[in-house]
Amino acid sequence: MFGLLYEYFNPLSATHNSTTECFDCADSIHTGLSSVQSAQIDPMQWLQQNSHDKHAISSNILTQLQFGRPRAAMISLVRNSEVAGMVQSIEELEYRWNKKYQYPWIFFNDQPFSDEFKEATQNATSAKCYYAVVPEEHWSLPSWIDESRFMNGLEYLGTIGVGKGWLISYHHMCRWNSGFFYNHPILKEYDWYWRVEPDIHYFCDIDYDIFRFMQDNNLKYGFNMNILDDARSFPSLWSHTSSFLASNPTLLHPSANLSWLIDTNTSAYNNCQFFSNFEIGNLNFWRGEAHEKYFKYLDRKGGFYYERWGDAPVHTLSVAMFLERSEVWWFRDVGYRHDICSHCPSSPGLGIRIGDGTGNENKRERCECERTGLDENFYKLVPRESRQRKPDDTCIRLWLGGKWLEKREGWTAEGERAFGGDGYHGYKILGNE
């Protein structure tokens, strides 16, 4: 009897690990109950009440019924050749979190997935796996792009050393992640996503349902790192964004806060970004009028090809313009590494739950990493030696604001640099406590 109830109420009920490759199969793979918005408005209170895997699907019969379970999935844009790295990422996130929650995995590729890829990814998780191909029109040059200009741009970006700027596929990827992924038919019945890249690491056990946390607290976007990006990738992005806002002032959220992204000396974009290879968000935000109009406007300007506009700055600007601050969450308790950028939880003083609720507020046993300071990743992508103009404060501190920007009396950035420092060590709160 219990098995029948579980199959009926579980929004993921179907034969384990479907291998459907489709453009319009969401109805057949996800028929869950409608999302139920909780009355919770305090994320910290929610965490106190809903941690310790309260909503893990194996906890008790009530959670097995999955009433109010978010319609959510992990999503990955990945090649067949990246199967080993993808399996590593799946295994780590399953071990740290999803083995308890059984959210499905959805893989995207510009080519059909191989049987080897499907078998390997399905063997790495007990959750369901689905496979989809990116439509050709979303992975090719649009008709309005001057191909000769694009090819010249590739050569230039490669010459000056802009990361992956010389790769045609990378430009397609940035465009797809900026404005197409959330409308793919396979995601039609989903509201939430967690972006997972190949070859990444998760360092900490997570003992609460992250998607339910987002849903119940009316959060629309979650990030893990906030760092400086290479301005040579998108020299005209801010001017086009400014023009878009001037033409569409009613789309700007009444409580939008762009100040942390604007250089106080130049009034231009300071090149801070949410590091979007870790991204947890509401698909309906991206599908909304504001972001859709913004993306289509940018797309017609050609910067995804003539320059190397990335999804990270596009998403960052969109979130800052069209959401209020209370709808964005910093997942500081999630230990994560992507390439040279790595984050490991440190101080619980930021208002992020680090303790386990039993008096052990350090929670060190749940993380396997060397803790990183608040400003650790600020210029991992833009070295200190770079001549690029840098903000007066690190990106994460600009976003946090308030006490995190306060400096010690008598300290100056110029004075620190005169003695070989980088000018970012004068804060009253160091952020590595």
Side-chain angles (χ1 to χ4, degrees):
M1 176 61 72
F2 175 77
L4 291 175
L5 284 173
Y6 178 70
E7 285 298 312
Y8 182 76
F9 285 100
N10 179 13
L12 305 180
S13 60
T15 302
H16 168 62
N17 281 332
S18 165
T19 59
T20 304
E21 197 142 21
C22 63
F23 288 101
D24 193 14
C25 59
D27 286 333
S28 65
I29 67 172
H30 199 123
T31 57
L33 300 170
S34 299
S35 299
V36 178
Q37 187 67 36
S38 168
Q40 289 282 358
I41 57 172
D42 181 358
M44 297 309 299
Q45 182 182 10
W46 189 99
L47 287 170
Q48 292 174 356
Q49 297 174 352
N50 293 276
S51 295
H52 312 298
D53 297 316
K54 177 178 178 179
H55 297 288
I57 66 168
S58 59
S59 294
N60 55 59
I61 190 169
L62 293 179
T63 56
Q64 289 282 3
L65 297 181
Q66 297 299 307
F67 183 71
R69 179 179 169 92
R71 306 190 304 177
M74 277 75 68
I75 66 171
S76 299
L77 178 64
V78 57
R79 300 183 182 94
N80 285 311
S81 60
E82 296 174 303
V83 61
M86 193 70 247
V87 166
Q88 171 192 288
S89 300
I90 295 171
E91 289 179 341
E92 292 200 16
L93 189 54
E94 288 289 323
Y95 175 74
R96 294 296 185 183
W97 181 70
N98 196 49
K99 65 182 179 182
K100 300 171 289 188
Y101 294 95
Q102 294 294 295
Y103 284 104
W105 290 84
I106 301 177
F107 303 99
F108 297 93
N109 193 349
D110 65 307
Q111 300 292 326
F113 280 104
S114 66
D115 291 339
E116 177 190 2
F117 184 95
K118 293 177 182 179
E119 181 180 2
T121 50
Q122 290 168 26
N123 287 338
T125 173
S126 57
K128 297 182 183 68
C129 295
Y130 304 103
Y131 305 86
V133 175
V134 176
E136 183 178 358
E137 63 270 23
H138 294 167
W139 205 267
S140 55
L141 284 182
S143 59
W144 57 87
I145 295 298
D146 182 329
E147 187 171 356
S148 295
R149 180 180 171 187
F150 171 48
M151 298 308 292
N152 289 336
L154 291 179
E155 183 177 356
Y156 172 73
L157 292 169
T159 299
I160 65 174
V162 171
K164 300 182 181 179
W166 60 92
L167 299 175
I168 295 176
S169 62
Y170 197 79
H171 291 259
H172 293 326
M173 181 273 291
C174 290
R175 180 177 180 239
W176 190 79
N177 277 328
S178 294
F180 293 127
F181 81 93
Y182 46 83
N183 283 326
H184 193 289
I186 203 172
L187 291 176
K188 184 171 63 174
E189 297 300 319
Y190 291 84
D191 299 319
W192 305 93
Y193 73 99
W194 183 336
R195 177 171 162 180
V196 180
E197 301 278 320
D199 291 306
I200 58 175
H201 297 281
Y202 293 95
F203 300 129
C204 302
D205 294 341
I206 306 167
D207 69 348
Y208 61 97
D209 186 335
I210 281 183
F211 290 125
R212 192 179 290 264
F213 171 73
M214 296 284 289
Q215 174 181 274
D216 289 358
N217 291 285
N218 195 34
L219 297 165
K220 304 293 174 53
Y221 188 82
F223 70 96
N224 181 260
M225 286 183 260
N226 187 341
I227 61 181
L228 195 64
D229 201 0
D230 188 341
R232 299 173 302 170
S233 301
F234 41 82
S236 69
L237 177 59
W238 177 244
S239 63
H240 288 304
T241 298
S242 298
S243 296
F244 173 81
L245 283 177
S247 301
N248 299 273
T250 59
L251 293 179
L252 188 68
H253 194 286
S255 300
N257 178 18
L258 280 164
S259 62
W260 71 276
L261 291 173
I262 306 302
D263 189 292
T264 55
N265 297 302
T266 66
S267 298
Y269 178 34
N270 63 14
N271 309 306
C272 287
Q273 62 167 19
F274 298 128
F275 201 34
S276 63
N277 50 68
F278 177 106
E279 193 170 69
I280 300 172
N282 188 311
L283 291 163
N284 296 312
F285 164 64
W286 303 121
R287 295 164 180 155
E289 177 189 15
H291 179 74
E292 282 281 70
K293 279 191 173 181
Y294 177 52
F295 168 72
K296 290 176 181 178
Y297 180 90
L298 294 180
D299 199 26
R300 297 295 302 195
K301 297 302 178 182
F304 291 109
Y305 293 100
Y306 300 142
E307 298 176 14
R308 204 226 69 181
W309 293 355
D311 53 274
V314 171
H315 281 194
T316 301
L317 290 167
S318 189
V319 166
M321 291 187 293
F322 309 132
L323 291 178
E324 59 180 308
R325 174 68 167 74
S326 63
E327 295 176 301
V328 182
W329 188 258
W330 180 21
F331 282 101
R332 183 152 191 209
D333 57 338
V334 179
Y336 174 76
R337 180 174 183 172
H338 180 279
D339 199 15
I340 62 173
C341 296
S342 182
H343 166 76
C344 184
S346 54
S347 171
L350 286 159
I352 306 299
R353 183 187 58 82
I354 299 297
D356 61 6
T358 62
N360 177 12
E361 292 307 312
N362 289 323
K363 198 185 177 186
R364 299 315 309 159
E365 76 281 0
R366 294 193 177 184
C367 295
E368 298 177 9
C369 52
E370 293 293 328
R371 69 182 186 179
T372 53
L374 183 65
D375 309 306
E376 181 82 15
N377 293 289
F378 172 50
Y379 40 56
K380 284 289 183 67
L381 302 184
V382 182
R384 173 182 169 184
E385 312 81 55
S386 168
R387 298 177 63 184
Q388 175 177 321
R389 178 178 176 81
K390 300 176 179 65
D392 292 336
D393 295 284
T394 63
C395 294
I396 188 59
R397 289 183 186 269
L398 288 168
W399 183 79
L400 288 168
K403 64 182 181 180
W404 301 100
L405 297 174
E406 294 177 2
K407 312 296 195 305
R408 299 192 305 272
E409 186 176 355
W411 175 91
T412 65
E414 294 77 12
E416 180 181 318
R417 293 188 183 110
F419 286 91
D422 63 3
Y424 293 100
H425 287 79
Y427 298 106
K428 288 184 178 180
I429 304 176
L430 297 179
N432 57 2
E433 294 82 357

